[in-house]
Every structure is written in C-alpha cells, then in structure tokens.
C-alpha cells in the first residue's frame, strides 16, 4: 500500500482540499554502507612448465594480454645438451645401420652362391632391424627433449590484465612456479557482509555505489560459507572502473525493511529552527510541529520521513 494517497475524492469529514494527501505507512528499504573490492572474476597464474633461467620477460604489471600470448621464456641448458647427445647417438646408429645393410646385401649374395648359410642371413637381417629400432627410440627421446625445450615458452592462460609479476629476467625458477598472475573474465565487486544481514540478502538484489558517480549493481552470487563471521557476495556493476584491482569502493546494500510515514519534502516549512507541516482537520488548516527523519526518493519524488508529529490517517496539505 502506497504511503501517499492523493485525496481525489471527498473526505469522510468534509470536502477534500486541492493538493492534499492522506498518510499511510510506507515500506522503506534499510540500506547499510559497506566497502567492496574490485576483483577479477578469474585470477589465473601463468606457470612455468619447466625449470630453468628466465631468458626474457615481455610483460609487466598492468599490461593487457590475450590468451596464448607469450609472456616469458624459460631456458634450461641441460635440454640443449640432451638434444645434442641424441643427435650424436642417431648419427652413430645411422652409420651402424649403413654397415649392417651392406653386410646384409653381401650375405644375400653369398647365400645365392651357396657360400653362406640361411641362418647367417637371418642374423644379419635381425641386426638391421635392431639398429633401426634403436634409431626410432633415440629419435623419440630427442622429440621429448625438443618438446621440453618448447615448453619453456610461458603463455598467458586467458585474456585479461597482468596483476602481478613476481619474477625478473635472469631469475631461476622451478617447474610450476608462477611467472605472472592474469586477471580475466571481467571484473566485479566482492563484498564482505556481517552474517547478521545474510538472511536479508538474495541474488538479484540491487546495490548502490556511492563513491563518485552513483551507480547501481546486482548481487550475482552469494557464497554459502561464512568466513570469520562474514558472508561473501559478488556484485555485477556496468561500467565498473578497473584501473586498480582490489580498490575499495563504498557501496550501500539492502539489509531489511521498515514501516514509516513520509511526505513530500516541499510540504515542510521551517521557521526558527522548527519544522512545521500543514494538515487539514475538519475542513480547516492547522500547523503541526514535526520531527523529521531521513530523506528518501519514491517514484522519482523527494520525500522526507516523519518521526513524530503526524499519524497515519492525517491529511497533509501540499503546496
């Protein structure tokens, strides 16, 4: 039921006055001021897949990166030595293979002439097959080393902004250590709310940002786990400033409702520091001293709460 009912018909005690209204309790939303932090929806570390020395680092804090972009290069000298060792083994085995194939051809000729036995020919063929298998094994091991060397390229796991870079070129890192932290997936406000207000909150509730230009957001997610007496909530806000991640922003969120009497702010006249409101009693106008509360906005109109001096059912004369 709306608190302000414009009297457009006859009052029970007499004719209605133009610009009069009848008071009735209005449900007001109680707002609580808390601080929220601007955070990235996804905070993902870009980790090194191999250990070694950071040869190059192409990003710094605040840079924007795309998914798959190379942000650092880790070099391990041992891998280069392993590749060189495999190349030498392959070269030696290929030389052995050439000799074994020559022996096999000679053995085939001797068997045709009846000089050598078939058993000896089978031994030569087995030797060729063994060397070819050794070459394939060594080439596979070399491919593993080459793959390890390529894994020295540290790639951005997602598109976003670089939040932290805890390393420098020339630093030695181990496999799995983070080279940078990427914040992506958009940004939101994270609130930490006292648990006594948890029951009054719901996903989809509106919140107001009061720092600078006033904006409105919606609670996107309420986390069920209470940590240190506080409930965590994520709020989506359009046009959120993201120049500084983890910046604190003052917001107001609904934590309950209450009944109150409100009248238009311009219906109050102040004289000698006392607030007066004109009311209609039995068709006659009279002034009453009132005590005002907070100012609220209802349907785009500026209203003021009446703490004392008026009651529900009173008819207030408006300008």
């Amino acid at each position: 039921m709306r608190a302000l009912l414009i009297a457009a018909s006859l009052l029970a005690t007499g004719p209605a006055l133009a610009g009069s209204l009848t008071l009735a309790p209005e449900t007001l939303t109680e707002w609580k001021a808390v601080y929220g932090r601007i955070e990235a929806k996804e905070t993902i570390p870009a980790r090194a897949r191999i250990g070694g020395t950071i040869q190059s680092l192409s990003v710094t804090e605040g840079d924007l990166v795309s998914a798959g972009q190379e942000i650092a290069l880790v070099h391990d000298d041992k891998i280069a030595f392993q590749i060189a060792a495999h190349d030498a083994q392959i070269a030696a085995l290929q030389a052995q293979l050439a000799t074994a194939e020559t022996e096999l051809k000679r053995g085939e000729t001797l068997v045709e002439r009846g000089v050598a036995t078939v058993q000896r020919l089978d031994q030569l063929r087995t030797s060729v097959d063994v060397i070819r298998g050794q070459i394939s094994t060594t080439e596979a091991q070399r491919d593993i080393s080459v793959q390890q060397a390529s894994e020295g390229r540290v790639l951005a796991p997602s598109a976003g902004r670089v939040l932290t870079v805890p390393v420098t070129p020339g630093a030695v890192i181990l496999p799995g250590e983070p080279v940078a932290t990427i914040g992506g997936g958009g940004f939101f406000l994270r609130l930490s709310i006292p648990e006594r207000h948890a029951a009054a909150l719901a996903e989809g509730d509106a919140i107001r940002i009061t720092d600078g230009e006033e904006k409105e957001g919606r609670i996107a997610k309420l986390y069920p786990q209470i940590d240190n007496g506080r409930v965590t909530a994520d709020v989506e806000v359009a046009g959120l400033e993201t120049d500084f991640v983890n910046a604190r922003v003052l917001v107001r969120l609904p934590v309950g409702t209450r009944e109150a009497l409100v009248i238009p702010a311009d219906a109050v006249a102040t004289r000698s520091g006392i607030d007066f409101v004109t009311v209609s009693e039995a068709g006659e106008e009279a002034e009453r001293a009132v005590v005002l509360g907070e100012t609220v906005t209802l349907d785009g109109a500026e209203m003021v709460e009446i703490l004392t001096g008026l009651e529900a059912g009173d008819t207030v004369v408006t300008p």
Side-chain angles (χ1 to χ4, degrees), residues 181-200:
T181 303
I182 311 298
F187 292 84
F188 63 95
L189 274 179
R190 173 157 289 178
L191 306 181
S192 184
I193 308 160
E195 61 180 317
R196 65 178 179 275
H197 300 306

Side-chain angles (χ1 to χ4, degrees), residues 34-36 208-215 247-251:
V34 297
Y35 277 99
R208 298 174 182 173
I209 300 177
T210 57
D211 274 1
E213 181 183 357
E214 184 166 338
K215 299 178 181 179
R248 295 178 58 179
V249 178
L250 184 62
V251 302

Side-chain angles (χ1 to χ4, degrees), residues 1-316:
M1 178 179 182
R2 301 298 301 173
L4 307 177
L5 301 176
I6 304 300
S9 60
L10 294 179
L11 296 175
T13 56
L17 300 175
S20 63
L21 54 90
T22 302
L23 294 184
E26 169 71 19
T27 301
L28 299 181
T29 301
E30 289 189 351
W31 298 86
K32 179 176 177 60
V34 297
Y35 277 99
R37 294 195 319 273
I38 299 176
E39 295 188 4
K41 290 185 177 179
E42 300 174 352
T43 303
I44 308 174
R47 300 183 183 274
R49 291 178 288 179
I50 65 172
T53 303
I54 296 181
Q55 194 173 58
S56 64
L57 186 64
S58 57
V59 297
T60 185
E61 290 84 351
D63 290 347
L64 293 175
V65 296
S66 57
Q69 176 181 337
E70 180 179 325
I71 61 177
L73 179 62
V74 179
H75 180 70
D76 187 355
D77 292 334
K78 296 190 298 296
I79 297 178
F81 295 151
Q82 291 173 358
I83 294 175
H86 293 318
D87 288 339
Q89 290 177 0
I90 292 172
L93 290 171
Q94 287 176 343
Q96 293 178 13
L97 177 61
T99 301
E101 288 177 341
T102 301
E103 291 290 336
L104 178 60
K105 290 180 181 179
R106 185 181 298 113
E108 290 174 347
T109 302
L110 294 176
V111 168
E112 290 176 357
R113 294 178 181 179
V115 176
T117 62
V118 176
Q119 181 180 4
R120 175 58 181 169
L121 182 62
D122 291 339
Q123 291 176 349
L124 294 175
R125 287 174 178 170
T126 302
S127 297
V128 171
D129 293 338
V130 168
I131 295 173
R132 286 175 178 171
Q134 291 176 343
I135 292 176
S136 298
T137 301
T138 307
E139 288 177 344
Q141 292 174 345
R142 184 185 186 278
D143 291 341
I144 293 175
S145 297
V146 171
Q147 177 62 29
Q148 288 178 339
S150 68
E151 289 178 353
R153 299 173 62 243
V154 181
L155 308 179
S158 65
R161 187 181 297 275
V162 179
L163 303 181
T164 61
V165 182
V167 298
T168 59
V172 177
I173 61 174
L174 299 176
E177 282 194 60
V179 175
T181 303
I182 311 298
F187 292 84
F188 63 95
L189 274 179
R190 173 157 289 178
L191 306 181
S192 184
I193 308 160
E195 61 180 317
R196 65 178 179 275
H197 300 306
L201 300 176
E203 294 183 1
D205 286 350
I207 65 105
R208 298 174 182 173
I209 300 177
T210 57
D211 274 1
E213 181 183 357
E214 184 166 338
K215 299 178 181 179
E216 184 173 292
R218 297 282 176 182
I219 296 179
K221 185 176 182 61
L222 280 172
Y223 291 89
Q225 182 174 352
I226 296 178
D227 184 16
N228 197 23
R230 291 185 172 270
V231 178
T232 302
D234 292 341
V235 178
E236 292 182 346
V237 182
L240 188 64
E241 296 291 338
T242 59
D243 293 337
F244 298 97
V245 180
N246 282 340
R248 295 178 58 179
V249 178
L250 184 62
V251 302
R252 298 174 66 203
L253 65 154
V255 295
T257 58
R258 59 187 175 86
E259 298 292 326
L261 297 176
V262 293
I263 63 173
D266 55 7
V268 180
T270 303
R271 295 191 299 273
S272 301
I274 302 176
D275 298 315
F276 294 93
V277 174
T278 302
V279 298
S280 175
E281 298 177 343
E284 297 182 358
E285 295 183 359
E287 286 189 336
R288 291 187 187 176
V290 296
V291 176
L292 304 181
E294 65 175 324
T295 301
V296 296
T297 301
L298 294 177
D299 297 333
E302 184 178 355
M303 315 294 287
V304 63
E305 180 183 0
I306 301 298
L307 299 180
T308 61
L310 296 178
E311 297 179 354
D314 288 343
T315 301
V316 176

